Amino acid sequence: MHSDRLESLLENSRGRPDRLIEVLLDVQDSEGYISEHAMRRIAQVLGVPLMNVYSAATFYKAFSLTPRGKHTCTVCMGTACHVRGAPLLLHELEGQLGVLPGMTTPDGLFTVERVNCVGACAMGPVVILDGAYRHHMTPAALRKVIRQLRKAEGQAEVKTNA
Amino acid sequence: MERTITITIDGAKLRVPEGTSVLEAAIRYGICIPHLCHMHGISDIGACRLCVVEHVKNGRSRVTASCTLEARDGMDIRANSPRIRHIRRNIAELLVAEAPNSRAIQDIAVRCGVKNVRYPFRNSNCVLCGKCVRICAEHLHANAIGFAGRGRNRKVVFPFGTRPEFCRLCGMCITHCPMTIPPCDGPMRPGQERLCGKCESQLQINEKFDIVGMCTWCDLGKGFQCGRYAGAR
Amino acid sequence: MPELTSVQSLAELRRQITARRASFKTTITICGGTGCSASGSQPVVEALRRELAGRGLQNTVLLRTTGCHGFCEQGPLMVIDPGGIFYCHVTPDDAAEIVARTVVEGQVVERLLYTDPVSGRKIRTESEIPFYKAQNRVLLSLNRLVDPTSIEDYIAIGGYAALEKVLAGMKPEEVIEQIKASGLRGRGGGGFPTGRKWESCRAAHGSPKYVVCNADEGDPGAYMDRSLLEGNPHSVLEGMIIGAYAIGASHGFIYVRREYPLAVKHARQAVEQAREYGLLGKNILGTGFSFDVEIARGGGAFVCGESTALMASLEGRPGEPRAKDVHTVEAGYRNKPTNLNNVETWANVPHIINRGAQWFAAMGTEGSKGTKIFALTGRVRNTGLVEVPMGTALRTIVFDIGGGPSNGAAIKAVQTGGPSGGCLPAEKFDLPVDFEALDQAGSMVGSGGMVVMDEHTCMVDVARYFLEFLLDESCGKCVPCRLGIDRMLEILNDITAGRGTPQQIELLEDLAQTVAQASLCGLGKTAPNPVLSTLRYFRHEYEAHIRDRKCPAGVCRALISYSIDAAKCTGCGVCAAACPSGAISGAKKQPHTIDAGKCTRCGICRSECRFNAIMVA
């Protein structure tokens, strides 16, 4: 991570261990992940033992310790979305992209995430694609979107039938 | 001048200094309350739940861990009711199903009355009691190991998975780990909190290890000059 | 930006704002909440703005984007006043017609009106729509009237008048008495009497004292708090300022789930505006009372909805709960007296102060006063946010407001209280939503999530789903939760995979009791509830899975098989193309077949077949 950017995120938190979660969230939002270097710097500036930074970074689902893909596809797995078939969407993504939730495709293009409720329950099943909320998603619609994104990245379409 | 207060455990009146936990009060007086994650000298976290007792107040009884319950004057505690024994047995059963190859956990299970284990055995080498973490943080002030992840994925690790420069190789973590405590050689000595069921234990031991019921070859041992690891080669 | 230095100046400001707005003849309200935003309300706003400007109407027609109206599936939603004309599914292309016909000519655009799915009739105004009509929207109705990014909107409708009343002449103890007399109980799920909580915190030793707003709303399927915080953040803030005054707190936090970015944004803006106007900070309205609020974000952990875990997170640590032998009102954030309440609880406070404790206590039942917001979702026609007086029967909510089943399949159960709650069968729908009544029935009011399930929902799978969720969210510190839920899930997995034995039910019940009694925090203690309530009311489904190796609802993959009805199959090939396992084959226009060996019973084919030709047995 660019050191100037990291330093500016840590500015208001010097000697403030209570700011750890906020700082980690800022770094995550800015870089897409928390690097070892960032954690060491955070430990120094905030005055938190390195182990504690690592514990917090691995405790909360918001943080990723590895870089995320170019496109993030988050499937809501809340109760309302679940009864409307959200598991089908995860299955579809597994078939299309070959990765499980929390993983990124080897080419670094797609990260699949699952989240436990985004609060748009009446609109389920909900998938958040690169920050945009898609509602009433179906496996077919999801397949179409992945296809479009792949095309935009210049990738060939993947046939999923064995 | 420290204030002393009086609490009642199973009808027995105990006088202890203010600020003592109910568990410590019991240990002081020789009342048996099984425990795993408690250790004198480090903070209590109430993780293993073996030390649960019934705290009776206003006609209602609340099940709570005695290690995190500060003794207050007039407290009424039931440490061995049928309800508590049942809960302890179930918790010990969960622990032994998880880590059957720990002598300390087998001992606790036997003492808590576990007769059969109703779950498929697993073979974890850590039950997350956190003694190692607390010793490293509170006694050595090194914070070289700690918890990472959460839930089923919670583990004791070094930061980033490698032993840091500031780990002093003191070996305290291994010494106090219940997974590596050797069995005692005779009757329980005063001050020893381990519960021994060596002669009573009929429980399954993992046949893979031919070293008599001691080391579980935990991952922490790999980074250290662990005597047991070295001795086995 | 006027900084208000006295209570009177706030009242004066309200008069000025109202006078300024008198020139607007018409108001167009568009819902900009998360749900409607997802359906595209933003482009509608842009289109309307252009249309109004084009016709030179921007000074007589007020265009206001508000927070969530609670009827998300009908979005984007629009209401036009005067008249309360209600339009749904509005698109940017409708802008011109809406302005020309409704705004200018006062005529309705028929095709944009709401159609009642039960009667088939078109309905003109919001208040006539059965979904809204049967509710008592004390809190939610305000969402319609304010732009959440405008403190002046809030002040104009009477906002901060309760704070005026309190600071002008009520002692802290009087405020606490009002809240006690109202009977308000925590709306986050705990149901603890709010007045008593405030009283304990006030009496506790230690300084400074803190107030916290719990906006973590982790229950999947619940979004009441999102709607309130996104849509009317000042109402929550006002409640907190009044609470801080009553308790003697000088600092507050609003802890918002990071999965609610819009709520975070609006809460931050509200705090900044309140500070600018002198309603937060030092010497509020010149009364010498100082109080400020900080917004904190969650890191993605359901367990942080638990008060001690939340406070650990505020202190920069992993969200691990601690024992609650000493309550947080005595030692909470940084071991200081801390009063934590849910968003909806705080939002009720200004209403109680303004309209009186008796008004609030007149609604509801003996033990549960006031109104409660529910997030009604699942297999029901009208999904959305429903605010009803406590004591309303479940049947009224599910059928009168919810409109009954969405798919023709009979409604089997309603799940309330999120992962800490339970499932109640249709036979129990006469039960009122009341803390004690639902507790006794094996469920709970909880935070307000209400998921409707029909005959295509497998109740054993529901129990399994919740256990999986809780195991994923468990902090992992204590044995009964970490290992106990794991072993309960292991058994549920056996049962849903057709490997279950009757002894496992006994073991499940025994283990459940231990987990409920011995766990350190509420997550573990309530984790067995979904299992226990489904065993209580749907034991026959468990028995079918175990004894007959069948899943009556056709959900559990190991116990069902998919096949294609040759009579209905048109050979369109959609299923074959969709199948991720390549298990479907067939020539074009010829009936297709499923290879059971390759089929994983994922259900994708059935969800895409337009001819109902895929069968589950």
Side-chain angles (χ1 to χ4, degrees), chain A residues 18 20 22 26 29 59-62 77-80 82-84 88 116-119 122-123 136 140 143 161, chain C residues 39 72-73 220-221 223 226 257-258 260 297 299-300 313 315-317 319 379 465 469 472-473 576 579 602 608:
Chain A
D18 56 302
L20 178 57
E22 280 294 314
D26 285 340
D29 288 340
F59 180 90
Y60 294 100
K61 286 278 167 68
M77 296 300 282
T79 316
H82 178 84
V83 305
R84 281 191 180 179
L88 295 184
N116 274 329
C117 185
V118 300
M123 315 291 287
H136 294 105
R143 201 176 313 131
N161 291 0
Chain C
S39 325
C72 315
E73 275 194 300
Y223 60 104
R226 171 180 75 65
R257 175 183 184 70
R258 77 173 268 274
Y260 288 170
R297 286 173 293 167
S313 183
E315 291 173 22
R317 296 182 283 114
R379 317 279 252 199
Y465 162 83
F469 171 85
D472 192 44
E473 296 288 351
C579 176
C602 68
E608 305 210 12

Side-chain angles (χ1 to χ4, degrees), chain B:
Chain B
M1 177 68 174
E2 240 180 8
R3 215 165 82 86
T4 34
I5 52 155
T6 307
I7 66 168
T8 310
I9 300 184
D10 292 339
K13 285 202 168 359
L14 319 180
R15 284 171 59 83
V16 290
E18 207 174 29
T20 312
S21 73
V22 170
L23 177 64
E24 277 190 340
I27 291 173
R28 207 179 277 234
Y29 278 85
I31 294 178
C32 172
I33 296 186
H35 51 276
L36 182 62
C37 67
H38 164 79
M39 195 177 109
H40 187 72
I42 56 173
S43 64
D44 285 299
I45 56 172
C48 72
R49 316 305 289 170
L50 280 166
C51 72
V52 287
V53 296
E54 288 191 68
H55 176 194
V56 180
K57 199 170 164 185
N58 300 331
R60 296 232 301 253
S61 143
R62 205 164 161 252
V63 173
T64 189
S66 52
C67 63
T68 48
L69 180 62
E70 188 184 317
R72 299 266 167 101
D73 205 32
M75 232 178 206
D76 181 5
I77 303 290
R78 311 293 161 84
N80 273 288
S81 63
R83 183 181 175 198
I84 287 294
R85 284 180 202 249
H86 189 113
I87 291 174
R88 280 202 200 124
R89 191 172 68 233
N90 281 356
I91 294 173
E93 184 189 3
L94 284 170
L95 280 165
V96 87
E98 192 68 23
N101 53 1
S102 154
R103 182 62 74 173
I105 289 179
Q106 288 177 27
D107 290 350
I108 289 172
V110 164
R111 184 58 69 103
C112 287
V114 177
K115 291 280 185 279
N116 59 313
V117 177
R118 298 169 292 177
Y119 310 103
F121 280 100
R122 294 184 187 152
N123 193 14
S124 300
N125 56 23
C126 174
V127 287
L128 301 167
C129 71
K131 286 195 326 221
C132 54
V133 175
R134 283 172 284 153
I135 289 169
C136 191
E138 296 169 25
H139 268 295
L140 282 306
H141 303 291
N143 290 286
I145 46 169
F147 288 115
R150 103 184 163 209
R152 273 306 285 164
N153 302 321
R154 185 166 151 107
K155 296 194 281 283
V156 174
V157 292
F158 298 120
F160 311 110
T162 27
R163 190 175 58 76
E165 333 76 66
F166 48 85
C167 158
R168 298 179 221 159
L169 291 169
C170 67
M172 286 291 107
C173 47
I174 295 196
T175 307
H176 292 97
C177 174
M179 305 297 290
T180 63
I181 293 176
C184 78
D185 296 318
M188 209 161 49
R189 283 188 273 285
Q192 281 196 347
E193 301 151 30
R194 252 182 313 106
L195 299 167
C196 180
K198 187 175 172 213
C199 30
E200 299 158 83
S201 170
Q202 300 294 319
L203 292 169
Q204 181 180 321
I205 300 174
N206 196 307
E207 276 107 33
K208 234 170 55 174
F209 312 142
D210 3 275
I211 303 206
V212 181
M214 284 167 66
C215 180
T216 60
W217 308 102
C218 71
D219 294 330
L220 279 180
K222 288 187 190 144
F224 289 84
Q225 301 310 304
C226 167
R228 294 183 181 91
Y229 228 95
R233 297 211 183 288

Side-chain angles (χ1 to χ4, degrees), chain C residues 321-375:
Chain C
R322 62 143 173 86
K324 281 221 271 230
D325 299 295
V326 174
H327 290 286
T328 55
V329 287
E330 302 200 32
Y333 177 69
R334 293 189 170 176
N335 264 328
K336 299 293 184 186
T338 308
N339 181 88
L340 179 142
N341 278 124
N342 168 264
V343 171
E344 194 180 337
T345 312
W346 288 119
N348 270 296
V349 170
H351 292 276
I352 293 172
I353 298 295
N354 279 330
R355 289 147 95 162
Q358 298 315 311
W359 158 81
F360 190 82
M363 296 185 286
T365 64
E366 184 66 44
S368 309
K369 301 290 184 192
T371 62
K372 175 80 190 83
I373 305 177
F374 291 94

